[in-house]
Each structure stands twice: as C-alpha cells, then as structure tokens.
Amino acid sequence: LTRRRWEWDMKKIRSRRLPDDVAIFLTDSLGELPDNVQRALFILSCFGASSKSAFVESQGLDRNILKNLEIAVVEGFVDKINDQYRFAHDRIQEASYNSIPAHRRCVIHFKYGLELSSLLTGNEDVIASVLFTAVNQLNLGGPPAVQDEIHYFTASRLNLRAGKKAMEMSDYETAYSYLDSGISFLRKKHWQEHYALSLELYSLAAKCALTNGDHTSLKLLIIEVVAKAHFFEDKLEVLYFETCALAYSSRLAESIEKGLDILSKLGIEVRGTNVKARVQETKDLLSPHTDDEILNSKQMTDPTMIMAMKFLGKSEIGMTQIMPKSVPYVTFKIIELSLTHGMSPVTPIGFAYYGSYLAKQGNINEGYHYVKLALSLLDKVGSRENAGEVIFVCTLVKSYVEPLQATLEYHHEGYAAAM
C-alpha cells in the first residue's frame, strides 16, 4: 500500500492452472508450432503431466528436446517451475499425446522403454527411478508393439526386476501390475524356453495377489504353476500361498490338512499319539546344546527344507485355534529340523511354543528360559516375518515371571511387528 500500486506474485501466477477457454485456444494452436516443438511436446506427454529438465535431458531421446521445450514455454504451452517442465493444462497434454495415432504411440512407447533400459547403471536410487520409467513405457507399448522376438524376453525380465523392486518398497499392488505385465510378454512354450523366468514371475505374482487379497488371480496363478512346474519342489511356494489363503478365508481345517499333506509328500510326518514321549525326545535332543550353540548354529540353506518349515509354522499357528492337542507334535518337529538342518525364520516359533507348552505343564522357569531363547533367535535368523506371533506367545509366558508393566511393552512390540 505504501507504494500505491498493485504488486504481482509471479510465482503464484505461473503455478496457477489455465482456465478451460484459454486451454482450448492453445490446444487449437498446437498445429501452428514447428514440427520439432510438437515432437518435443509429444515426448513430454509420453512421460506424464510433468518431468524434470535433468530427467528429460538424461534420457537421450531427442538431443534438442530442451531447446524445443523452451520454445513451448515461451508460447505458453508448457510451464517451467523449479527446473521442471509441466503442461499448462491437461488438455494440452492430451492433444499433444493424441497428435500421434494410437498404433504408432504403442511402438514409440516401447522404443522409449528399450532406450531407457540401457541407462540402468550407476547409483541405485537413480536406477530404480529409471527402471520404473522404462518399464512403464514398455508396458504402455505392450506385446503388440514388439518388433523383435528377443524383446519379449527383455520386457518380461525388466518387469520382473521392477516387480521385485516394488515389493522391496512394500507396494504390492504396483508390484503385481509389473509381474502381470511381465507374464503378458511371455510367448508360447515359455515354460520350456524360459522356465526359471516363468516360475519366478508366476510365484511372485501369486505372493502379491495373496497380499492384495486378490484370491481369484491367486487361484489362477496357482493352477498354472501346479500344471506347468517341472518338479514338485518348484510348486511348494505357490502351494504355501494357497494354504495361507485358506487360513485367511477362515478355512483353517482345510489349510492345515493341505499343509500336512504336502509335508507328508516331503517325508515329514507330524501326527502322533504320545505327547509325553515326544516331549522327552525333544528334551533329549536339546540337552547336549547350550543356548550359545543354538544361537550360533548354521542357517538353513536347503530351499525345500526352508519351505517345509514355512508349512510347519503356518500349520502350528492354525492348530492353536482349532487343534490345540496337535500343536506339540509340530513344535517338536520344528525344533528337530532346526537342530538338524539349521536355523530358519520359522525356528523361533518352534522354541516359543515349546516354552509355552512347558509353562502350561507347570514348569514356568524352563518355559521362560525357552521363550527368551526364541526372542534371541529372532535377531539371529535375519527375518522378522514371524516376529508378531513369536512375541505374542513369549509375552504370555513372560507375564508369569516379569512385571506386567514390562510385558505390556513386549505386547505392544508384538502388535507393531504383526501389523
């Protein structure tokens, strides 16, 4: 007010979206731009509503793209804010994108994806960003855009890589979309020609489908793997996901029965009639080993045995709800296999339930000893996937020995781990 005139905030003005009538005018004027500028706008539109200039320049898709985008900025079609190019209106982006026929756009997208995939070297964070961008371009093109047979395999492999990276980020919906796209690029006879790639794509897609609660897709993926996998051991992972899906659908009896049947095919029997004899066998098995020896035992490396342990862990958790008398047999088998073949992420569950069983029989101190060992094993096995269940079981025993205030903290930790 002291300067007696209006002052304009240019940053806010530039950041405002154009009104529709101005956007329509600019859209109609696109055809009057030089061909190189129109091509630059089309390239920008292929990557979304906006892109950083450093990203655009690094892709090497057009040497003069930045120069031509600057012309578009001057003409008002694109805004440049904080070194980022952004279409002034979504209608301009749409018009630029539609300036090329759909069938040609697919081929161009796929071409851009292949060119970007050649840049997947260097800093891991940069690689992840370029990987997702490259794979998105490949998928926008889709299988119809492939012009060289080898590129089907390339697109499937890159989608697998992107899916695994998304899973690391706990984005299972995005991961599933990448893995599903990877499957769509597979050709006939892929189970014969690219067996390992096919198995990994289907298995990881099944895991994502289970996590996302998509049981329809999970069922179809399981059917495919069971029908096409060469070895029974290669089917174990998707069969495990099937038992999980049954358990999550409140079909615990079916889940347990299926798990026990698979374990039986692997030569592992957990049914029995004499609990006291199994308890004594387990005590005899543990007696020669100190806690330090158990904590420093080798890690389990046999893939089949690792999967068997997963089935045992899932069966034990389900049995606690509907078949409590059968729980000890599974518990003792987990401990036996752990001492024989090495520690796995399921091992702490076995020791937790063993401690709980001893405590229920009136031997609180010995039970307390083994639940503390189970908690120590959580840090040793290098996995927290079963931490919630282990901490929950251990806390119940700890509450008989430690102050309730302390056990309440363990309870909260277990809740957080399970979530």
Side-chain angles (χ1 to χ4, degrees), residues 245-263:
L246 289 170
Y248 300 155
S249 302
S250 300
R251 296 160 66 184
L252 280 175
E254 292 178 60
S255 174
I256 293 168
E257 191 58 37
K258 187 169 191 64
L260 295 180
D261 180 60
I262 292 168
L263 287 167

Side-chain angles (χ1 to χ4, degrees), residues 6 55 62 179 210 300:
W6 292 103
F55 172 81
D62 187 329
L179 296 166
L210 174 66
M300 191 175 288

Side-chain angles (χ1 to χ4, degrees), residues 20 41 53 59 78 130 161 178 188 199 213 244 264 271 278 295 334 348 350 353 377 389 401:
D20 286 348
L41 288 174
S53 59
Q59 308 316 309
V78 174
V130 175
R161 187 174 170 184
Y178 284 132
K188 290 181 179 180
L199 182 63
C244 292
S264 181
R271 294 179 174 89
R278 290 297 286 129
L295 289 171
I334 290 174
Y353 276 101
L377 279 167
E389 182 73 14
V401 181

Side-chain angles (χ1 to χ4, degrees), residues 74-118:
V74 173
E75 295 294 331
F77 292 91
V78 174
D79 296 324
K80 186 179 181 182
I81 304 171
N82 296 328
D83 206 34
Q84 186 174 37
Y85 291 103
R86 187 189 73 182
F87 280 99
H89 197 279
D90 53 4
R91 289 195 182 183
I92 299 174
Q93 179 194 355
E94 183 181 350
S96 298
Y97 188 67
N98 291 329
S99 64
I100 302 294
H103 68 280
R104 283 187 56 202
R105 286 202 304 266
C106 290
V107 175
I108 292 171
H109 275 302
F110 197 83
K111 173 175 173 286
Y112 288 168
L114 289 176
E115 291 180 6
L116 291 173
S117 67
S118 66

Side-chain angles (χ1 to χ4, degrees), residues 224-293:
E224 179 73 8
V225 174
V226 170
K228 300 296 176 61
H230 295 174
F231 309 102
F232 180 68
E233 290 77 8
D234 291 342
K235 305 174 186 180
L236 290 176
E237 191 164 21
V238 296
L239 291 174
Y240 172 71
F241 298 147
E242 185 176 17
T243 63
C244 292
L246 289 170
Y248 300 155
S249 302
S250 300
R251 296 160 66 184
L252 280 175
E254 292 178 60
S255 174
I256 293 168
E257 191 58 37
K258 187 169 191 64
L260 295 180
D261 180 60
I262 292 168
L263 287 167
S264 181
K265 290 179 180 179
L266 293 173
I268 299 172
E269 297 293 342
V270 294
R271 294 179 174 89
T273 57
N274 192 334
V275 175
K276 289 184 178 180
R278 290 297 286 129
V279 172
Q280 190 57 50
E281 287 177 23
T282 305
K283 286 184 177 181
D284 294 341
L285 194 63
L286 287 168
S287 60
H289 303 278
T290 65
D291 288 357
D292 286 340
E293 287 175 344

Side-chain angles (χ1 to χ4, degrees), residues 100-364:
I100 302 294
H103 68 280
R104 283 187 56 202
R105 286 202 304 266
C106 290
V107 175
I108 292 171
H109 275 302
F110 197 83
K111 173 175 173 286
Y112 288 168
L114 289 176
E115 291 180 6
L116 291 173
S117 67
S118 66
L119 303 175
L120 296 176
T121 58
N123 182 278
E124 189 62 31
D125 292 335
V126 174
I127 289 176
S129 175
V130 175
L131 173 64
F132 290 137
T133 304
V135 175
N136 288 340
Q137 290 297 308
L138 293 174
N139 295 342
L140 285 169
V146 179
Q147 297 178 329
D148 188 331
E149 196 72 19
I150 196 173
H151 290 155
Y152 286 114
F153 171 74
T154 301
S156 291
R157 181 175 52 81
L158 287 171
N159 268 289
L160 173 62
R161 187 174 170 184
K164 291 164 79 171
K165 177 61 70 173
M167 289 175 72
E168 289 176 13
M169 301 163 66
S170 299
D171 187 352
Y172 285 89
E173 289 190 4
T174 300
Y176 179 81
S177 71
Y178 284 132
L179 296 166
D180 187 51
S181 295
I183 290 171
S184 73
F185 279 103
L186 294 172
R187 299 295 89 192
K188 290 181 179 180
K189 297 184 178 180
H190 63 88
W191 282 105
Q192 290 78 30
E193 297 173 1
H194 300 292
Y195 179 73
L197 173 64
S198 301
L199 182 63
E200 192 169 11
L201 277 169
Y202 275 87
S203 297
L204 290 179
K207 183 176 183 178
C208 291
L210 174 66
T211 306
N212 297 333
D214 184 358
H215 289 195
T216 301
S217 297
L218 174 63
K219 185 176 180 180
L220 294 173
L221 291 163
I222 291 171
I223 291 172
E224 179 73 8
V225 174
V226 170
K228 300 296 176 61
H230 295 174
F231 309 102
F232 180 68
E233 290 77 8
D234 291 342
K235 305 174 186 180
L236 290 176
E237 191 164 21
V238 296
L239 291 174
Y240 172 71
F241 298 147
E242 185 176 17
T243 63
C244 292
L246 289 170
Y248 300 155
S249 302
S250 300
R251 296 160 66 184
L252 280 175
E254 292 178 60
S255 174
I256 293 168
E257 191 58 37
K258 187 169 191 64
L260 295 180
D261 180 60
I262 292 168
L263 287 167
S264 181
K265 290 179 180 179
L266 293 173
I268 299 172
E269 297 293 342
V270 294
R271 294 179 174 89
T273 57
N274 192 334
V275 175
K276 289 184 178 180
R278 290 297 286 129
V279 172
Q280 190 57 50
E281 287 177 23
T282 305
K283 286 184 177 181
D284 294 341
L285 194 63
L286 287 168
S287 60
H289 303 278
T290 65
D291 288 357
D292 286 340
E293 287 175 344
I294 294 173
L295 289 171
N296 294 302
S297 296
K298 65 180 181 179
Q299 295 293 310
M300 191 175 288
T301 56
D302 182 348
T304 302
M305 198 54 61
I306 290 172
M307 286 305 306
M309 292 287 281
K310 286 188 174 185
F311 281 104
L312 287 167
K314 180 57 66 177
S315 297
E316 182 156 44
I317 293 170
M319 285 177 175
T320 59
Q321 299 180 54
I322 63 171
M323 300 168 60
K325 292 183 179 180
S326 299
V327 171
Y329 297 105
V330 181
T331 298
F332 306 145
K333 182 58 69 172
I334 290 174
I335 293 175
E336 176 190 333
L337 294 178
S338 297
L339 294 176
T340 306
H341 298 278
M343 301 294 136
S344 87
V346 178
T347 299
I349 291 181
F351 279 93
Y353 276 101
Y354 181 58
S356 175
Y357 177 82
L358 293 175
K360 288 176 183 177
Q361 300 306 306
N363 197 338
I364 299 292

